[in-house]
Amino acid sequence: MYLKRPAGGLAFCLFYLASCFTNKYVLSVLKFTYPTLFQGWQTLVGGLLLHVSWKLGWVEINLCSRSEILSWLPASVLFVGIIYAGSRALSSLPIPVFLTVHNAAEVITCGFQKFVQKETSHLKVCSVLFLLVAAVCLPLCDAQFDPNGYLWALIHLICVGAYKVFQKLWKPSSLSDLDQQYINYVFSVVLLASASHPAGDLFSALDFPFLYFYRFHSSCCASGLLGFFLMLHTVKLKSSTTSGQYAAWSFLAKVITASLSPLFFVMTANVLTISCLVISGVGEALLVYAERTGT
């Protein structure tokens, strides 16, 4: 069966959906478009909760080797690029469109596996071609085309692809997924807090019309908590399932999120746009099958 450990997988899907919708609400509906502050807040909450969980003995974190921590910092830089560019892109693009471009990051990882590691199968190549075609054609037929949104989505997918390649190249001897995420959180908070003033977000946010409204405060709190729980369930699901099973749950989470998002957020679609979304879905389904069967 593709979808084993249903409780953990369904919890992952639920947190993926809730986190994505909450972020979209803050970024697009409330229009809080100050990514150094918003992403800085999310990583601060995530880092604090992970630190508290560590001290209470709920999770295990080992940061013994300074050299390994320093060697992971390039990935932390890419992580900041992922969340910053992703925030900018999601504020402008509908969720299904954003996920379609996001999926194209597999082109980078597949290219690395094929031309560097010489281990990519023909089925994986076929699947990423579907993902690439969908991502390239989508801006050409998008009725809500936003060049700035697609530019940030492109930067986001490059950072995602580079991050995955770095993980494959970097062979940690002691840093677990939680160790890596802890470093990412700490680095992100420091970098984003330092950049908030030069970027102009710090003082611009003072003019935000919903700054003192409870729905803004509650949404920001929810985004931080949901992001943390999504991270925990992602790590847990990866450690308790095979790569193919995790890919299947990730695919299901994206399909559910993309399918339900037009019910809550404005999206103008035509036949060509929907075709691109379907092509991307077919490509990811093939990728899941390739991961599951090892072909």
Side-chain angles (χ1 to χ4, degrees):
M1 292 179 64
Y2 278 23
L3 302 178
K4 294 182 178 180
R5 307 187 70 88
L10 291 174
F12 166 78
C13 292
L14 176 62
F15 283 116
Y16 188 96
L17 172 70
S19 179
C20 195
F21 275 26
T22 303
N23 289 341
K24 182 64 176 176
Y25 177 76
V26 174
L27 293 168
S28 293
V29 179
L30 298 183
K31 298 187 183 301
F32 188 74
T33 52
Y34 309 102
T36 57
L37 298 180
F38 187 51
Q39 297 302 323
W41 160 256
Q42 288 188 322
T43 51
L44 176 63
V45 172
L48 287 175
L49 291 177
L50 187 55
H51 185 79
V52 171
S53 300
W54 172 29
K55 294 303 180 182
L56 291 176
W58 295 342
V59 298
E60 184 177 352
I61 295 178
N62 298 298
L63 301 175
C64 301
S65 174
R66 181 177 297 180
S67 61
E68 285 193 338
I69 294 174
L70 292 176
S71 68
W72 181 254
L73 289 184
S76 294
V77 174
L78 291 171
F79 177 79
V80 175
I82 290 170
I83 60 177
Y84 183 91
S87 179
R88 297 293 295 267
L90 190 59
S91 66
S92 304
L93 302 177
I95 290 176
V97 172
F98 172 78
L99 292 178
T100 298
V101 180
H102 169 87
N103 289 342
E106 291 297 333
V107 175
I108 297 175
T109 56
C110 181
F112 169 76
Q113 290 176 321
K114 180 172 180 62
F115 297 108
V116 178
Q117 296 183 328
K118 310 293 184 181
E119 60 181 33
T120 300
S121 66
H122 294 300
L123 183 57
K124 280 189 176 181
V125 173
C126 181
S127 66
V128 297
L129 286 177
F130 274 94
L131 297 175
L132 180 61
V133 168
V136 170
C137 294
L138 188 57
L140 303 178
C141 56
D142 187 358
Q144 294 174 278
F145 178 73
D146 186 314
N148 192 54
Y150 275 102
L151 175 61
W152 283 110
L154 175 62
I155 296 172
H156 170 78
L157 82 85
I158 291 173
C159 290
V160 170
Y163 186 89
K164 291 182 178 181
V165 169
F166 186 88
Q167 283 184 312
K168 291 180 181 296
L169 287 173
W170 192 76
K171 303 296 184 182
S173 58
S174 62
L175 291 183
S176 66
D177 288 343
L178 285 177
D179 298 335
Q180 295 169 10
Q181 193 60 42
Y182 187 82
I183 298 170
N184 289 343
Y185 278 149
V186 173
F187 182 84
S188 300
V189 170
V190 173
L191 185 60
L192 292 170
S194 303
S196 62
H197 177 59
D201 289 353
L202 187 60
F203 293 108
S204 297
L206 296 176
D207 298 323
F208 180 62
F210 300 108
L211 188 61
Y212 302 105
F213 282 61
Y214 79 93
R215 56 176 170 168
F216 169 66
H217 298 157
S218 59
S219 297
C220 285
C221 289
S223 70
L225 292 172
L226 289 169
F228 171 72
F229 286 119
L230 174 61
M231 181 275 298
L232 278 185
H233 278 79
T234 301
V235 171
K236 183 178 179 180
L237 192 62
K238 281 184 175 181
S239 64
S240 61
T241 61
T242 64
S243 60
Q245 291 162 0
Y246 171 75
W249 280 114
S250 180
F251 173 62
L252 179 62
K254 291 175 186 177
V255 169
I256 294 173
T257 302
S259 300
L260 293 179
S261 64
L263 302 177
F264 297 90
F265 305 102
V266 177
M267 178 180 177
T268 304
N270 52 39
V271 175
L272 292 177
T273 300
I274 295 174
S275 299
C276 289
L277 301 181
V278 172
I279 291 172
S280 178
V282 171
E284 190 168 10
L286 289 174
L287 192 61
V288 169
Y289 180 77
E291 286 286 344
R292 184 67 178 83
T293 59
T295 57

